[in-house]
Amino acid sequence: MSEPQVVLSAEQEGSLYTVGTISYILHAIVAAGAVVPGFEPGVLLLVVAVIIDMVKKDDARGSWQASHFNYRLRSVLYAGVAMLLTAPLFLLLYVPGKIAWFLIGLWLLYRIVKGWSALSARRAIEA
């Protein structure tokens, strides 16, 4: 059984939508940096995006937008764990590590695009 959806005011809805869009933009820049050679935006943007999501997550609790905050945080967590697990590949051989991190970045970029398009359509995202 699903939770009843909380209806937010138009102002709250717009504010959370803007926050979500900004967070998706920051996530997309970082994910693109993992895929595009020579483009290294830095982890600071990702840290800012995660902090924004963690701070604003409670404001969206019970609404359709809450799924987006959880989705972005889960995406970063899974990508971070995958990067930690594949980090030893860099010690063995550089190329396998680079390929693994490229694939993780590609996966993260896919998740961000998928989530951002759901947000743009104003619908919840499923994990």
Side-chain angles (χ1 to χ4, degrees):
M1 195 185 258
S2 64
E3 288 183 28
Q5 290 292 311
V6 172
V7 178
L8 302 173
S9 71
E11 182 180 318
Q12 289 173 311
E13 181 86 22
S15 174
L16 287 172
Y17 182 83
T18 301
V19 167
T21 301
I22 290 167
S23 182
Y24 274 122
I25 289 169
L26 294 174
H27 280 86
I29 291 170
V30 172
V35 175
V36 177
F39 179 60
E40 299 289 332
V43 177
L44 182 60
L45 291 179
L46 187 60
V47 170
V48 168
V50 167
I51 290 171
I52 289 170
D53 285 343
M54 290 173 66
V55 168
K56 297 301 280 182
K57 180 174 126 171
D58 288 340
D59 295 348
R61 181 170 290 154
S63 73
W64 65 270
Q65 291 195 33
S67 66
H68 287 277
F69 287 94
N70 292 328
Y71 181 80
R72 287 188 302 267
L73 289 169
R74 233 177 294 127
S75 295
V76 170
L77 177 67
Y78 294 158
V81 168
M83 289 182 136
L84 283 174
L85 291 174
T86 57
L89 290 174
F90 280 104
L91 297 175
L92 299 173
L93 293 170
Y94 179 76
V95 174
K98 198 69 170 161
I99 291 170
W101 282 22
F102 171 81
L103 293 174
I104 294 165
L106 198 59
W107 173 84
L108 182 59
L109 188 58
Y110 164 76
R111 292 217 7 136
I112 297 306
V113 169
K114 178 182 172 186
W116 197 353
S117 75
L119 180 74
S120 296
R122 297 193 183 293
R123 60 181 168 79
I125 184 75
E126 293 182 26

